[in-house]
Structures are given as structure tokens and as C-alpha cells.
């Protein structure tokens, strides 16, 4: 009776907190994971998707953003960067005299390098997204060796685009969660949570991570031996997490 109550409560939490479920599985350092109460092993089948506005049984996965949507977000981001950085690279006459032309030139070069690096990452992710006009082959789900995706009930709402829907937020979370320069964040935030969980639940237990973002905590829990389901309601964060965890190139962008 208690197990039935826990299963019912977990379903209710999923409906309230998220639109898509991520199942961590596959590679040797990640254990098998439960997805909706059952294990999906072997080859990955097509993900269950909701309505996409396109007819037929080969509609794209509804939770993933399209190439056009991500490019639009990139354009908005770069416009905001230009507005914010304009004063830095075009200082007043008094500032130029105080700083010197060489320092201003170095500053401008660093700003452009940062902008271009961010652009290369987003453009690489865009190329990974399906081309909706490429025919049936473009509708095949990509390989997902680490994280499997499954859309929950069609009535489950996702977050509005204004909530965790900008490129700036994605880059901030990538830097905070996946950059070696922010290892102190993991040590001060995620590691204590994992240590507390170990006291309450032995490895092999099931863990639900709501609002998983780019899955840093979820991946760490899976590496500890837990069976993890990570839920997220932002289509942009789901799209980025799919790319970063499943298919991002090893070479530097």
C-alpha cells in the first residue's frame, strides 16, 4: 500500500513540475535508470512526443526546439550583447585618453572572442537539430547513449519562453555547472546534497530530480549508482541538455 502511494505521489509531482522526463542510462559509468517505472534498454526507439502542429506519424519531437527557434534566440542574445558591450568598446574621449588605445583594442578583441565562441557553440547545436525539410531521414531520433528523453502527458504544461528561455541563461548554467572554473559550485552545492542522500538512500535507489536544468546534479547522482529520472519544463534547456550530454563533439568549439 505504501509503495502504491509513493508511485501515485511521484506521478503527481511529475505532472506539476515538468513537461519532459530525462532518463540517464547507457554508458558504463552510468547505471541503468528507470523511466516512468520501467527500464528501456537496448536500442533507442522514437521518443514519445506531443502535438507538434505537423501532421503524420513522423512529426518532430515536440519538446525539442527547432533550428529557427534557436537561431531567433541567438539573434536576440547577440543584439543584447551589442547593446550592453557598446559602451565598453566605444568609450568616451576622456576614457580613451585615460585607458589608452592599446587597452581599448585588447578589450574589444576579448569581447569579440567571447561573442564568437558563444556563437560557435549555439550554431553547432543548431546544426545538430533536425532539418524539417530534409525528408523522412531528418525525422529520425538522434542517438542518445547517455540521456533518454520521454515527453509526459500531453496536458502537462511547459515553462513559458520568458522563463529559462534565453541563450544568456543557457550559457550561465553551462559555465556554472559544467565548467572546470566553477568546480567550487559543485563542491559547495551539489556534493553536500549527494552526501545527505547517501545517508538516506543506498545506491540503486530511485531518485527524481525536478527542475533538472542541464542535468549536472542528475548525472552526478547516476554516477553514484542511483536510478535517476530528471524532469525539466524548459524546451530550450531540454534541447541543450540533449546536445551536450548525448552528442557534443570532444573538440573545442
Amino acid at each position: 500500500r505504501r509503495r502504491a502511494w509513493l508511485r501515485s505521489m511521484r506521478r503527481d509531482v511529475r505532472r506539476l513540475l515538468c513537461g519532459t522526463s530525462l532518463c540517464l542510462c547507457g554508458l558504463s559509468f552510468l547505471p541503468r535508470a528507470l523511466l516512468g517505472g520501467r527500464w528501456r534498454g537496448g536500442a533507442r526507439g522514437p521518443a514519445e512526443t506531443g502535438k507538434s502542429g505537423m501532421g503524420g506519424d513522423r512529426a518532430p519531437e515536440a519538446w525539442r526546439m527547432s533550428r529557427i527557434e534557436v537561431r531567433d534566440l541567438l539573434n536576440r542574445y547577440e543584439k543584447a550583447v551589442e547593446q550592453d558591450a557598446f559602451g565598453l568598446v566605444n568609450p568616451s574621449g576622456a576614457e580613451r585618453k585615460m585607458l589608452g588605445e592599446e587597452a581599448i583594442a585588447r578589450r574589444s578583441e576579448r569581447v569579440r572572442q567571447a561573442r564568437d565562441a558563444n556563437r560557435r557553440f549555439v550554431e553547432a547545436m543548431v546544426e545538430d537539430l533536425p532539418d524539417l525539410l530534409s525528408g523522412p531521414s531528418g525525422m529520425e531520433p538522434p542517438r542518445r547513449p547517455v540521456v533518454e528523453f520521454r515527453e509526459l502527458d500531453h496536458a502537462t504544461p511547459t515553462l513559458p519562453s520568458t522563463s529559462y528561455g534565453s541563450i544568456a541563461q543557457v550559457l550561465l548554467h553551462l559555465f556554472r555547472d559544467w565548467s572546470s572554473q566553477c568546480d567550487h559550485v559543485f563542491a559547495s552545492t551539489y556534493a553536500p546534497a549527494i552526501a545527505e542522500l547517501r545517508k538516506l538512500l543506498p545506491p540503486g535507489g530511485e531518485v527524481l530530480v525536478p527542475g533538472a536544468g542541464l542535468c549536472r546534479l542528475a548525472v552526478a547522482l547516476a554516477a553514484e549508482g542511483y536510478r535517476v529520472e530528471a524532469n525539466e519544463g524548459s524546451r530550450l534547456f531540454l534541447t541543450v541538455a540533449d546536445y551536450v550530454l548525448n552528442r557534443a563533439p570532444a573538440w573545442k568549439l
Side-chain angles (χ1 to χ4, degrees):
R1 188 180 305 168
R2 177 177 174 82
R3 289 181 179 177
W5 176 81
L6 287 172
R7 285 195 296 268
S8 175
M9 183 178 68
R10 190 173 67 173
R11 284 194 298 267
D12 292 340
V13 169
R14 289 197 195 107
R15 294 191 188 101
L16 288 171
L17 295 178
C18 58
T20 299
S21 169
L22 297 76
C23 172
L24 303 179
C25 53
L27 293 185
S28 58
F29 68 90
L30 295 179
R32 288 189 170 185
L34 288 181
L35 178 58
R38 58 196 175 96
W39 164 247
R40 285 174 144 191
R44 302 290 179 260
E48 299 176 23
T49 61
K51 296 179 181 179
S52 65
M54 299 183 184
D57 59 356
R58 304 193 65 81
E61 296 169 306
W63 56 266
R64 291 177 89 191
M65 298 194 81
S66 69
R67 291 185 171 194
I68 292 176
E69 288 176 304
V70 176
R71 285 193 181 112
D72 180 56
L73 291 176
L74 176 60
N75 290 336
R76 295 185 198 179
Y77 168 73
E78 292 199 337
K79 181 178 180 181
V81 168
E82 286 182 351
Q83 292 172 342
D84 291 342
F86 183 82
L88 288 174
V89 300
N90 295 281
S92 65
E95 289 174 315
R96 290 177 65 178
K97 184 176 181 180
M98 179 179 64
L99 295 173
E101 297 299 327
E102 184 177 345
I104 295 172
R106 285 199 305 270
R107 176 190 290 177
S108 299
E109 178 63 20
R110 296 294 170 80
V111 169
R112 290 195 301 273
Q113 287 176 350
R115 178 201 62 191
D116 294 346
N118 293 339
R119 178 188 294 164
R120 285 194 298 273
F121 168 76
V122 177
E123 288 179 342
M125 184 176 66
V126 167
E127 289 302 312
D128 178 70
L129 291 169
D131 182 348
L132 300 184
L133 300 182
S134 63
S137 61
M139 296 301 99
E140 293 295 331
R143 62 184 182 85
R144 294 191 171 112
V146 177
V147 181
E148 185 178 81
F149 287 73
R150 175 193 173 199
E151 190 163 3
L152 300 182
D153 187 271
H154 299 338
T156 305
T158 57
L159 293 173
S161 59
T162 54
S163 180
Y164 291 96
S166 73
I167 296 298
Q169 290 168 322
V170 164
L171 295 174
L172 174 63
H173 280 73
L174 279 172
F175 181 71
R176 185 196 70 183
D177 288 351
W178 291 106
S179 168
S180 60
Q181 298 180 54
C182 287
D183 285 344
H184 62 283
V185 175
F186 184 92
S188 64
T189 305
Y190 297 141
I194 296 172
E196 286 297 316
L197 182 62
R198 286 200 205 99
K199 299 176 184 178
L200 302 172
L201 184 68
E206 300 176 39
V207 179
L208 174 65
V209 181
L214 298 182
C215 297
R216 184 66 181 94
L217 177 59
V219 168
L221 288 170
E224 291 289 329
Y226 293 103
R227 296 179 291 175
V228 181
E229 180 174 317
N231 294 347
E232 175 57 49
S234 165
R235 290 178 63 229
L236 176 60
F237 273 61
L238 288 166
T239 301
V240 176
D242 178 34
Y243 173 66
V244 169
L245 297 177
N246 285 320
R247 293 176 305 284
W251 44 269
K252 292 183 178 181
L253 294 172

